[in-house]
Amino acid sequence: MATVYTASRLAVLVACRAPSSCCSSSGRSTRVPLRAKMGTRKKVQAFVRVRPTDDFAHEMIKYGEDNKSIDIHLKKDTRRGVVNNQQTDWSFRLDGVLHDASQDLVYETVAKDAVSQALDGYNGTIMCYGQTGAGKTYTMTGATENYKHRGILPRALQQVFRMIEERPTHAITVRVSYLEIYNENLFDLLSTLPYVGPSVTPMTIVENPQGIFIKGLSVHLTSQEEDAFSLLFEGETNRIIASHTMNKNSSRSHCIFTIYMEAHSRTLSDEKYITSKINLVDLAGSERLSKTGSEGRVLKEATYINKSLSFLEQAIIALGDQSRDHIPFRQSKLTHALKDSLGGNCNMVLVTNIYGEATQLDETLSSLRFASRMRLVTTEPAINEKYDAERMVKNLEKELALLKQELAIHDSLSNRTLVNYDPMDEIQIAEINSQVRRYLEGTLDEIDIINLRQIQEVFNQFRVVLSQQEQEVESALRRKYTLIDKNDFAAISAVQKVGLMDVEGNLVGEPDGQSFGLGVAPFSVKPGKKPKIKKTPKDQFSSSARKEGASSPVSGKDFDMASISKTQLIPSSKDGDMKDMLARERETSSIEPLISDSPKEELRVPRPSTPPSRTVAFEEFKNERGSEINRIFKENKSILNERKKRASETTQRINAIKQEIDETKDALNFQKSLREKQGEYENKGLMIIDEEEFLLILKLKDLKKQYRNEYQELRDLRAEIQYCQRLVDQCRHRLLMEFDIWYNESFMIPEDIQVALKLGSSIRPGLVPISRIVCLGEDDQDRFSHLQQTVLPEGPDSITFYNAKVKTDQKGYGSIRRAWWRAACIINALNLRRTGVDQGYDKPIRP
Ligand code: ADP
Ligand code: MG
């Protein structure tokens, strides 16, 4: 009587006797891309189902106490020669041995949990493996004619629908498909259904981020158990019919019945939903080719089966090997189709169907090896959670409506009734644009804040206006000037080569009165602010200030203007020279003393009460006192410009010659290559060249000579330009300084102070910069005090006197007069010291 182990004994545990590798429990990450939350690691479950037989090999096959292992003992029998003679004992560790187990028990043990978890979102794969006739189909599908003997498949469908009924909180849809893989071809076992229609293209296995799917395989929605059974029977019938019509043995194909589930919560606010699928796989017979002794078609079938099963085994070995990164899923249709169902995030269960008979022991051993390998594979079952986009949008819309309502309540509570929160239309945007423009122009003081959307639009429009203005400025500049990109070195060097000149022969960017300059525009050219007097500077000054004396129409504004222009402007107006020079003057830090007596001193007309603008005065100065130096300055400048123009022309000529040289060189090279191609002629060691080439050589020689000459000329010109530039700068500097002195003496320094300063002093009053007089800083005052003490050593009493005087003055007098008065005192003191005359010492001229 065979020792029969039943599933009731599964709970008993025994130590693993399998090789250490079989017991490896350390996990590794899965290679199948996960679509959901990671679960805990889990081993593939491998069960063995033994086909009932009266001829069970008791002596050879023994089950472990816990029913979780099988020991095989082989008597040494050389006649059999089936297995390795060296090895007679094997031990396989498993998750359970099902001997004489009912279909019911098999389902409970093998499939129930996996199916149940599939409804919770876990993918599952249940696979039957074993030699033909061992009971794979019986286990998977069962006997269709007998309800009691129905297999895993119908039971799984039953469980699914039963569980759905138990979950009224969820709307769960069930779909099924039935795929057959025969000789590496894919067949849809449900394609005969009337609504499927013929498949135009052969089925293909497609991988996408959601996983693997079979393109062309019909997937059927089943709303109830009965429909699902009908589909299963349809598939089974097709499988049998095909085995007749196509003359194929159903045992030689792999069949995959898949149940797809999708569970949406009936609570609308729940956007998450879960999907899962459960693959129920009935594999082809695993018997080895050598044993079948088949030929022809059968041989072909066997070859395919062996190959695909061997690839399945390879994939499983790879999955079980933690050091392997690549799993060869695509080697066969079977492994490819099951790619996301082997290992990965699935619950995986293997049922190995074996014969318990001695005669089948070799195949049994092979099947058990497969089972124990399968147990090494680790999976990480995880819930496939997804988000329902449509439901999400609906929920968000709902929330948005609610928030808007709430906002409206808030607004009405705070008396903000007219606030609109809708997106802005074109008219509103245009209005904001106009507000921004007016704000920038200064005609609108502030932009009222209404809401966040409006603030954002205001910023947007700022950007729009700014970029428009940038474009306008740039295009205006482009219309007027040739702009060169600072980073465009080629263009810069080209400009430098031609002497930095513009079309008129002026230095580009260098103000000279006719060109343009950067900085603040002169008052008179500012838009919207017309000058009060539209006379030429000369008219203005000569007629009003000089000839009409005190009744000067020159306003104080003009004076201010001149001050501004002195420090900031490089204008493009008629009085350009003056401003040009004034600007240049800023660059000159030291002032050379330049003594020049005024020959027209006695003829001086009474000075105007308000000094004329510097610009106006400068024109006058150039024509009178400074006429000589101005003439020299102009002369030098015209020489400089003439030289620059010549240098520019020479550069252009040089460039043209250079270009011609290059072209001639190219032509010569071309001639040379032609000559080389056509074969060269030599006469007494001399190369014979044709006339054309000869002329080119002559031309090149001539061009090079021209180039050298022109280049020499350019070098000379540049030296001259440098020299002339220095002369011009010097003249400019001198002219300005003379002007300053003259201007200060004529208009700024009180005449009485001038008289005081004149008394024996060698310093001309106008030489001291007016700015120094006007604002004596702390430091200056200190220096002044120091000077007092050092220059008046012989009259120590005078120091206290002057100190007291200075203090009194600081209280009551204007700074200019005060400073000059002090200066006058010192100079007087110096004079007295020098001449020894006491007179006037204690009576300095009071300003
Ligand atoms: P396989 O699919 O592995 O080739 P089958 O499932 O077709 O084998 O089984 C071969 C035969 O054995 C069938 O007639 C089947 O009814 C019978 N059979 C297999 N296993 C059992 C079992 N556990 N109990 C009763 N009959 C079985
Ligand atoms: Mg079968």
Side-chain angles (χ1 to χ4, degrees):
M1 181 73 192
T3 313
V4 176
Y5 290 81
T6 60
S8 57
R9 297 173 67 183
L10 284 174
V12 188
L13 287 167
V14 290
C16 172
R17 282 189 277 152
S20 61
S21 64
C22 296
C23 300
S24 168
S25 62
S26 58
R28 64 166 173 165
S29 60
T30 51
R31 286 112 173 189
V32 175
L34 294 183
R35 286 160 280 155
K37 290 188 261 178
M38 295 304 290
T40 45
R41 286 177 174 279
K42 196 171 169 184
K43 292 264 175 178
V44 169
Q45 285 191 293
F47 296 94
V48 166
R49 188 182 196 187
V50 189
R51 188 177 186 260
T53 174
D54 293 335
D55 194 17
F56 188 79
H58 292 287
E59 313 84 51
M60 294 178 178
I61 306 169
K62 301 246 191 272
Y63 306 139
E65 290 264 304
D66 61 349
N67 224 10
K68 289 193 173 184
S69 63
I70 295 180
D71 294 339
I72 307 281
H73 173 73
L74 198 67
K75 278 186 190 161
K76 280 216 166 180
D77 184 357
T78 44
R79 280 174 302 157
R80 300 178 76 136
V82 183
V83 289
N84 184 345
N85 289 333
Q86 298 302 308
Q87 196 173 356
T88 52
D89 290 279
W90 293 267
S91 183
F92 299 97
R93 184 85 187 130
L94 303 153
D95 290 284
V97 179
L98 298 156
H99 190 106
D100 268 355
S102 66
Q103 293 284 65
D104 210 13
L105 180 65
V106 169
Y107 185 77
E108 290 279 323
T109 315
V110 167
K112 197 179 175 188
D113 281 355
V115 173
S116 164
Q117 287 200 28
L119 273 140
D120 292 330
Y122 295 92
N123 287 344
T125 300
I126 302 169
M127 214 158 45
C128 285
Y129 179 92
Q131 68 182 111
T132 300
K136 298 183 295 298
T137 308
Y138 183 78
T139 303
M140 196 48 83
T141 317
T144 42
E145 62 279 0
N146 188 332
Y147 182 70
K148 205 182 159 193
H149 296 154
R150 70 199 188 283
I152 291 171
L153 250 165
R155 283 169 201 269
L157 287 169
Q158 256 173 330
Q159 189 189 340
V160 165
F161 283 102
R162 212 150 288 165
M163 283 181 77
I164 289 172
E165 273 173 27
E166 288 164 10
R167 293 186 187 192
T169 52
H170 284 77
I172 304 172
T173 52
V174 180
R175 290 180 173 82
V176 298
S177 68
Y178 208 169
L179 174 76
E180 186 179 32
I181 304 171
Y182 176 71
N183 288 359
E184 284 299 278
N185 289 313
L186 305 171
F187 294 93
D188 183 358
L189 288 176
L190 299 177
S191 67
T192 49
L193 288 164
Y195 54 86
V196 175
S199 173
V200 186
T201 49
M203 283 193 283
T204 45
I205 302 166
V206 181
E207 284 182 56
N208 66 16
Q210 276 73 49
I212 292 276
F213 80 99
I214 318 289
K215 203 174 152 192
L217 178 69
S218 61
V219 180
H220 306 262
L221 184 70
T222 53
S223 51
Q224 50 190 343
E225 206 176 301
E226 204 184 308
D227 296 344
F229 285 154
S230 303
L231 290 164
L232 172 63
F233 295 143
E234 176 80 19
E236 286 305 318
T237 314
N238 284 337
R239 204 172 158 186
I240 294 157
I241 292 170
S243 71
H244 289 288
T245 53
M246 291 171 72
N247 197 20
K248 73 178 186 196
N249 187 337
S250 68
S251 208
R252 303 219 177 275
S253 66
H254 310 291
C255 288
I256 306 170
F257 188 89
T258 310
I259 309 169
Y260 310 85
M261 281 159 280
E262 197 172 298
H264 290 260
S265 166
R266 289 197 194 272
T267 318
L268 283 174
S269 60
D270 195 353
E271 296 141 7
K272 275 186 251 171
Y273 69 99
I274 50 171
T275 60
S276 60
K277 65 177 174 183
I278 186 148
N279 287 303
L280 301 160
V281 190
D282 182 1
L283 293 168
S286 63
E287 57 277 3
R288 284 170 301 172
L289 184 63
S290 58
K291 218 190 164 198
T292 60
S294 44
E295 50 188 27
R297 182 183 59 84
V298 181
L299 176 72
K300 188 181 165 194
E301 282 174 353
T303 311
Y304 277 124
I305 294 160
N306 274 5
K307 266 193 184 162
S308 66
L309 286 177
S310 134
F311 289 140
L312 176 66
E313 203 166 337
Q314 280 177 29
I316 279 156
I317 290 168
L319 282 165
D321 181 354
Q322 292 172 37
S323 62
R324 289 278 292 271
D325 278 334
H326 175 69
I327 311 293
F329 282 118
R330 300 179 71 150
Q331 283 179 325
S332 71
K333 291 280 193 308
L334 176 70
T335 47
H336 199 186
L338 291 176
K339 186 178 171 182
D340 61 355
S341 305
L342 292 172
N345 67 343
C346 299
N347 281 311
M348 255 194 86
V349 185
L350 176 78
V351 181
T352 304
N353 294 91
I354 58 165
Y355 280 97
E357 289 148 23
T359 46
Q360 305 293 335
L361 211 60
D362 50 348
E363 286 300 336
T364 297
L365 269 172
S366 155
S367 296
L368 288 173
R369 277 192 203 103
F370 181 83
S372 59
R373 271 184 206 127
M374 199 67 165
R375 282 192 79 242
L376 295 180
V377 178
T378 318
T379 68
E380 211 162 344
I383 298 174
N384 297 288
E385 214 167 48
K386 287 171 185 165
Y387 283 87
D388 186 334
E390 206 176 313
R391 203 177 267 196
M392 239 161 109
V393 169
K394 270 186 188 153
N395 286 339
L396 286 172
E397 274 174 352
K398 235 175 165 179
E399 203 175 317
L400 194 69
L402 256 169
L403 286 171
K404 273 188 176 175
Q405 277 175 11
E406 193 146 324
L407 198 59
I409 293 169
H410 277 283
D411 280 343
S412 68
L413 286 176
S414 55
N415 286 330
R416 289 160 47 112
T417 43
L418 290 169
V419 183
N420 181 11
Y421 295 98
D422 294 331
M424 301 217 167
D425 58 25
E426 278 175 22
I427 298 166
Q428 284 167 317
I429 291 171
E431 170 55 25
I432 288 181
N433 181 287
S434 130
Q435 278 180 353
V436 167
R437 280 179 195 281
R438 280 182 282 143
Y439 180 80
L440 287 172
E441 282 163 16
T443 51
L444 183 69
D445 285 339
E446 49 191 39
I447 298 172
D448 290 330
I449 289 172
I450 298 167
N451 58 27
L452 204 62
R453 212 189 274 276
Q454 176 251 0
I455 293 171
Q456 281 173 343
E457 195 52 51
V458 166
F459 279 117
N460 258 350
Q461 292 309 315
F462 263 113
R463 189 191 281 160
V464 168
V465 172
L466 187 72
S467 77
Q468 276 173 358
Q469 285 187 351
E470 271 175 8
Q471 279 170 17
E472 280 164 18
V473 168
E474 199 184 318
S475 58
L477 284 173
R478 282 192 189 285
R479 273 198 300 277
K480 207 167 176 190
Y481 308 108
T482 307
L483 299 185
I484 296 166
D485 184 353
K486 268 188 172 177
N487 299 318
D488 189 349
F489 299 111
I492 288 170
S493 71
V495 170
Q496 280 168 346
K497 268 185 195 164
V498 295
L500 262 171
M501 286 186 182
D502 64 15
V503 278
E504 273 101 34
N506 297 311
L507 279 178
V508 173
E510 187 178 284
D512 65 354
Q514 273 75 50
S515 185
F516 75 101
L518 297 178
V520 180
F523 188 79
S524 59
V525 298
K526 269 197 179 175
K529 295 197 177 178
K530 289 175 187 170
K532 285 180 181 169
I533 300 157
K534 279 194 169 183
K535 285 185 178 178
T536 62
K538 190 173 173 169
D539 288 344
Q540 193 181 349
F541 182 50
S542 338
S543 62
S544 54
R546 289 291 195 183
K547 289 172 188 158
E548 285 164 40
S551 60
S552 166
V554 181
S555 67
K557 218 172 198 174
D558 280 335
F559 173 74
D560 291 340
M561 266 302 306
S563 316
I564 295 166
S565 68
K566 182 176 175 180
T567 50
Q568 294 181 310
L569 302 186
I570 304 168
S572 55
S573 63
K574 278 186 182 175
D575 49 22
D577 266 346
M578 162 66 181
K579 288 174 182 171
D580 171 11
M581 287 179 191
L582 292 175
R584 277 162 191 270
E585 188 202 11
R586 288 169 62 220
E587 293 162 20
T588 320
S589 54
S590 65
I591 298 174
E592 292 170 35
L594 219 146
I595 302 136
S596 138
D597 287 321
S598 167
K600 297 173 188 172
E601 198 101 47
E602 290 74 30
L603 300 173
R604 181 179 284 180
V605 290
R607 66 164 61 177
S609 62
T610 317
S613 85
R614 290 176 66 87
T615 317
V616 173
F618 189 63
E619 286 306 311
E620 176 70 15
F621 173 76
K622 279 194 294 186
N623 292 328
E624 291 179 33
R625 269 274 293 276
S627 62
E628 180 58 14
I629 186 153
N630 188 43
R631 187 189 57 76
I632 299 167
F633 169 72
K634 275 187 169 169
E635 236 174 65
N636 285 339
K637 204 173 154 184
S638 79
I639 295 169
L640 175 67
N641 283 345
E642 187 271 333
R643 294 291 188 280
K644 281 179 176 174
K645 204 174 166 195
R646 267 171 58 193
S648 163
E649 285 161 358
T650 312
T651 311
Q652 278 172 16
R653 279 202 302 278
I654 288 173
N655 286 339
I657 295 168
K658 179 75 184 58
Q659 199 182 342
E660 222 180 322
I661 287 174
D662 290 342
E663 284 165 3
T664 316
K665 271 183 183 167
D666 287 346
L668 248 174
N669 285 338
F670 178 69
Q671 286 294 329
K672 196 180 164 194
S673 69
L674 265 185
R675 168 160 53 82
E676 281 165 355
K677 261 188 219 161
Q678 288 162 1
E680 295 179 344
Y681 301 101
E682 254 187 68
N683 187 9
K684 293 175 189 165
L686 288 171
M687 189 66 66
I688 306 291
I689 55 171
D690 64 15
E691 197 185 333
E692 205 173 338
E693 196 174 341
F694 180 65
L695 286 173
L696 281 171
I697 291 168
L698 284 183
K699 188 182 172 189
L700 191 63
K701 217 174 146 186
D702 185 42
L703 282 169
K704 279 185 178 172
K705 197 177 159 193
Q706 276 182 47
Y707 185 89
R708 274 195 297 275
N709 292 342
E710 291 286 357
Y711 200 78
Q712 183 57 44
E713 195 187 327
L714 184 65
R715 261 179 26 197
D716 295 343
L717 275 169
R718 279 184 178 162
E720 270 184 75
I721 287 169
Q722 233 176 12
Y723 184 73
C724 286
Q725 184 70 59
R726 267 185 35 213
L727 280 181
V728 166
D729 289 345
Q730 265 179 12
C731 283
R732 177 187 286 118
H733 177 73
R734 197 170 159 160
L735 185 62
L736 277 168
M737 210 172 61
E738 281 293 314
F739 166 70
D740 255 353
I741 292 166
W742 172 81
Y743 187 82
N744 288 341
E745 284 176 350
S746 307
F747 309 107
M748 305 306 287
I749 304 165
E751 283 173 88
D752 45 1
I753 291 176
Q754 288 192 49
V755 173
L757 287 167
K758 280 242 167 75
L759 289 171
S761 169
S762 60
I763 303 165
R764 277 184 54 195
L767 194 61
V768 182
I770 195 74
S771 59
R772 305 280 290 174
I773 301 164
V774 172
C775 46
L776 266 183
E778 283 300 313
D779 290 347
D780 298 301
Q781 289 189 8
D782 291 344
R783 259 180 256 130
F784 185 81
S785 307
H786 181 71
L787 186 67
Q788 272 185 315
Q789 287 173 26
T790 49
V791 300
L792 299 168
E794 285 167 27
D797 295 341
S798 63
I799 295 170
T800 46
F801 172 78
Y802 286 123
N803 278 346
K805 194 82 199 155
V806 164
K807 274 177 193 158
T808 318
D809 287 341
Q810 276 171 350
K811 284 177 200 159
Y813 295 92
S815 58
I816 304 171
R817 285 174 173 263
R818 192 165 57 235
W820 277 104
W821 187 79
R822 283 192 289 173
C825 289
I826 291 166
I827 292 158
N828 270 350
L830 284 168
N831 290 339
L832 289 171
R833 266 174 59 201
R834 204 173 53 205
T835 56
V837 178
D838 207 336
Q839 188 191 353
Y841 172 71
D842 52 0
K843 279 184 184 173
I845 303 148
R846 276 289 298 274

